[in-house]
Amino acid sequence: MQRSRLAFWIFLAPVLMWLLLLIVLPHLDLLTMSFRGEDDYGDMVWTFQNYMNFFTEPIYWLTFVRTALYAIITTFITFLLAMPVSFFIAKLARKRVQGALMILLLLPFWVSELVRIYGWMILLRESGVINYFLLNLGIIDTPIEMLYNDATMIMGLVYTSMLFMVVPLVSVMESLDDSLIEAAHDLGAGQATIWRTIIIPHCKPGITSGSIVVFMLALGNYLTPNLMGGKNSLWFTEQIYNQFIASFNWSQGSAFGFLLLLLSSLIIWVGLKVTGQKLGEVAS
Amino acid sequence: MIRSLPRSKSYDWSFNFFILLYFAFLFAPLLVTCVLAFNDSNFPSLPWNGFSLDWFIADGPDRIGLFHDEQNLRSIVTSFQTAFFVAIFSVVVGTCASFLFEQEEFRFKGILYFLMLAPLVIPGVILGISLLLAANTAGTFFDERFGLDFELFRPSFWLVVLGQFSFISTFVTLVVSARLRKFDHSLEEAALNLGATRLGVIWHITLKFLRPSIIGAGAVAFLMSFENFNTTLFLVGSEPTLPINLYLQVRDGSTPVINAVSLMLIVGTSVLALVNLYFTKKEE
């Protein structure tokens, strides 16, 4: 087809501006800032001190490890919950119900994460709705504080990222030919065998893309750990926020930010390598 | 077992029960938020003290309803303005990007494509801090070199718009690209043979074809901007958007006014999401 230089530049210019000014330069700035520090005279110098602080202060790297670990647990629980749900929608529900279920599934996720977490807080807190019912039904005598612990926080993280696991899983399950399962059934395979040898292997691309997105969202989440996790359940994004906004120590915050970026890129890269996928495929 | 295979009663029953539980889990926090917006009580909790519209229309001095609450109303307006500009900018640049990546060949295309996808794997918090840093660096540079002071380089309305734009454009690009891939190029070739210029073809034919996906992507961009928290948190100046404003209120103790705001948000986004869904369905 005929090429037009003008058209090419009209497309390229805004895209270059966007990617260079808003993606590349800021992240280079983040990297350089993370190596800046003050010497004894208060002058700006290049230093590894910010990274040293991270490794010498247990609170920092422990939070880091904790965040990564909990993000992985969240991803796994989300996967366990999403699998039967997507199987139901793709393979069990009648065709008419299917569409309605998909809409129902999508709707809550268009509502701001904050509103959803707020809803959970009203439900779970000491003076909350669940405690009210438990007390009135005589199941408990004194209200239980269900907020501000790790289990609740993980539940919140699972809740906020559920959709990003279910949608890719439903779409890969829909592409699975029913006759494969029928054939396996006729040949005498049990439920477990069918899941292990047919359904799971077929769903692998969906599982990978869902897991990557859920992991990313959990790792970079600020709201849910902050509002549901309470005082003693630190999340690494909170450390970054504290360095930036509370302590005004931007270079320390940059170092933390860069470490988080490294961690998320690394785990996503490993995930893609292990399953032999490309980022472009996962995204689309 | 799937639709076409015989299933036992208990299998069906337990599966249906699980799905019911799942949807209860999905909607419980939203439902309870909406219901408590009408409770005649000073706290967003049970017992139910009767139906009241106070949290929407009360005009002080004891209770101030949403429609008289300056702070919340202003943040809603700010969110609308932000989402409007983000949607416009990201649709324009995202459409350019999909033309660039789908229809043009050039050196470094692979690198640029990778950079375009990068915002998908950068946690929102990191995007926020790196942009804050870059804006600060640019502000200092212009101030020291030219003695110029730009509002843009401090946390402000436009910085929030830029921050959200930087990753929402990626989603727009992916949506529009998917549609562009289905475009029948013989239409373009016919027009070119009849003497149209490349830009003329794009304007009269390709963009007409892309219109539904551009509108859809615009709606998604609007919703994503409206509910964004993580990136906005670091860039927000004296005009908080709705999620930020709600966060501050939820953190510092809440009144049912937040329930009223949440209810409006749930209804508003649901309507917009359903309208968007209806049009994408019709297009298919």
Side-chain angles (χ1 to χ4, degrees), chain A residues 1 3 18 29 88 91-93 103-104 110 112 114 118-119 122 159 162 182 191 216 220 226 254 257, chain B residues 1 3-4 11 16 22 25-27 33 36 44 103 120 126 133-134 137 166 188 227 230 246-247 259 277:
Chain A
M1 195 171 58
R3 295 270 155 237
W18 158 36
D29 211 20
F88 184 87
K91 294 290 174 203
L92 284 177
I103 293 175
L104 275 182
W110 284 118
S112 167
L114 192 101
Y118 175 65
I122 303 178
Y159 181 82
M162 201 70 221
E182 285 164 16
Q191 286 275 3
M216 247 277 304
N226 190 264
S254 304
Chain B
M1 298 296 115
R3 269 189 296 269
S4 50
Y11 178 84
N16 285 341
Y22 176 76
F25 169 68
L26 221 52
F27 280 92
T33 310
L36 288 179
Q103 303 209 326
L120 291 179
I126 313 257
L133 276 173
T137 311
S166 70
E188 275 186 342
E227 66 146 8
N230 281 359
L246 284 180
Y247 166 73
N259 293 61
L277 209 71

Side-chain angles (χ1 to χ4, degrees), chain A residues 12-266:
Chain A
L12 184 67
V15 176
L16 264 187
M17 292 264 284
W18 158 36
L19 295 176
L20 284 183
L21 293 181
L22 296 178
I23 307 291
V24 177
L25 282 181
H27 288 91
L28 286 179
D29 211 20
L30 181 76
L31 183 62
T32 50
M33 191 67 178
S34 71
F35 289 110
R36 300 306 296 267
E38 282 180 8
D39 63 7
D40 299 341
Y41 306 102
D43 293 323
M44 288 299 259
V45 287
W46 298 103
T47 168
F48 283 104
Q49 194 55 48
N50 300 316
Y51 290 93
M52 300 280 279
N53 289 344
F54 172 79
F55 290 106
T56 47
E57 286 286 346
I59 177 93
Y60 294 150
W61 62 261
L62 276 177
T63 311
F64 191 70
V65 173
R66 216 182 96 94
T67 306
L69 219 65
Y70 278 19
I72 291 170
I73 295 175
T74 302
T75 311
F76 190 66
I77 295 177
T78 313
F79 163 72
L80 286 184
L81 271 175
M83 214 55 188
V85 172
S86 19
F87 185 72
F88 184 87
I89 291 174
K91 294 290 174 203
L92 284 177
R94 269 167 284 134
K95 281 278 175 246
R96 286 181 59 96
V97 184
Q98 221 171 22
L101 284 182
M102 272 316 271
I103 293 175
L104 275 182
L105 210 64
L106 286 168
L107 271 186
F109 293 91
W110 284 118
V111 180
S112 167
E113 183 185 350
L114 192 101
V115 172
R116 287 179 278 142
I117 293 302
Y118 175 65
W120 276 116
M121 290 173 76
I122 303 178
L123 277 171
L124 294 174
R125 70 170 141 226
E126 218 173 334
S127 58
V129 173
I130 291 182
N131 267 318
Y132 177 81
F133 281 117
L134 289 179
L135 280 173
N136 277 21
L137 291 173
I139 299 172
I140 52 171
D141 301 324
T142 47
I144 312 166
E145 180 60 276
M146 287 179 261
L147 271 181
Y148 313 127
N149 60 56
D150 291 356
T152 311
M153 184 182 75
I154 288 183
M155 187 226 67
L157 288 170
V158 168
Y159 181 82
T160 52
S161 44
M162 201 70 221
L163 176 81
F164 302 94
M165 189 69 94
V166 174
V167 167
L169 282 183
V170 169
S171 70
V172 286
M173 283 205 191
E174 274 176 343
S175 71
L176 174 63
D177 194 347
D178 283 2
S179 52
L180 285 175
I181 299 179
E182 285 164 16
H185 179 72
D186 291 343
L187 291 170
Q191 286 275 3
T193 321
I194 291 180
W195 275 90
R196 204 183 63 241
T197 56
I198 299 176
I199 300 177
I200 305 259
H202 178 86
C203 291
K204 223 160 134 194
I207 296 174
T208 320
S209 56
S211 302
I212 288 178
V213 176
V214 169
F215 174 78
M216 247 277 304
L217 288 176
L219 193 73
N221 201 318
Y222 177 83
L223 260 183
T224 308
N226 190 264
L227 290 177
M228 295 180 98
K231 286 272 182 294
N232 41 18
S233 66
L234 275 170
W235 206 248
F236 202 63
T237 46
E238 289 177 340
Q239 299 275 21
I240 297 176
Y241 181 85
N242 288 343
Q243 293 297 337
F244 262 86
I245 307 295
S247 326
F248 216 67
N249 191 349
W250 281 20
S251 40
Q252 186 66 64
S254 304
F256 287 175
F258 196 71
L259 284 166
L260 188 69
L261 187 59
L262 268 186
L263 176 72
S264 74
S265 323
L266 183 78

Side-chain angles (χ1 to χ4, degrees), chain B residues 83-97:
Chain B
F84 174 76
F85 285 110
V86 169
I88 298 273
F89 291 160
S90 55
V91 158
V92 171
V93 176
T95 309
C96 283

Side-chain angles (χ1 to χ4, degrees), chain B residues 186-257:
Chain B
S186 55
L187 288 174
E188 275 186 342
E189 276 155 27
L192 288 171
N193 286 339
L194 293 170
T197 61
R198 174 105 167 89
L199 287 178
V201 172
I202 288 169
W203 185 254
H204 290 292
I205 298 172
T206 324
L207 279 180
K208 288 276 181 307
F209 173 79
L210 291 177
R211 193 162 62 190
S213 73
I214 290 179
I215 294 172
V220 171
F222 192 92
L223 283 173
M224 284 179 83
S225 161
F226 209 89
E227 66 146 8
N228 182 267
F229 180 85
N230 281 359
T231 307
T232 310
L233 180 65
F234 290 91
L235 304 173
V236 77
S238 52
E239 305 161 90
T241 60
L242 186 59
I244 302 283
N245 184 35
L246 284 180
Y247 166 73
L248 296 174
Q249 292 176 50
V250 168
R251 199 187 52 183
D252 304 337
S254 47
T255 72
V257 174

Side-chain angles (χ1 to χ4, degrees), chain A residues 205 208-209 212-213 268 272 276-284, chain B residues 102 110 113-118 120-121 170 173-175 177-178 181:
Chain A
T208 320
S209 56
I212 288 178
V213 176
I268 287 166
L272 290 174
Q277 289 188 300
K278 287 208 174 73
L279 183 60
E281 292 162 10
V282 171
S284 58
Chain B
E102 290 298 320
Y113 191 73
F114 174 78
L115 277 178
M116 187 275 290
L117 290 178
L120 291 179
V121 292
T170 300
T173 308
L174 290 173
V175 172
S177 294
R181 237 169 271 147

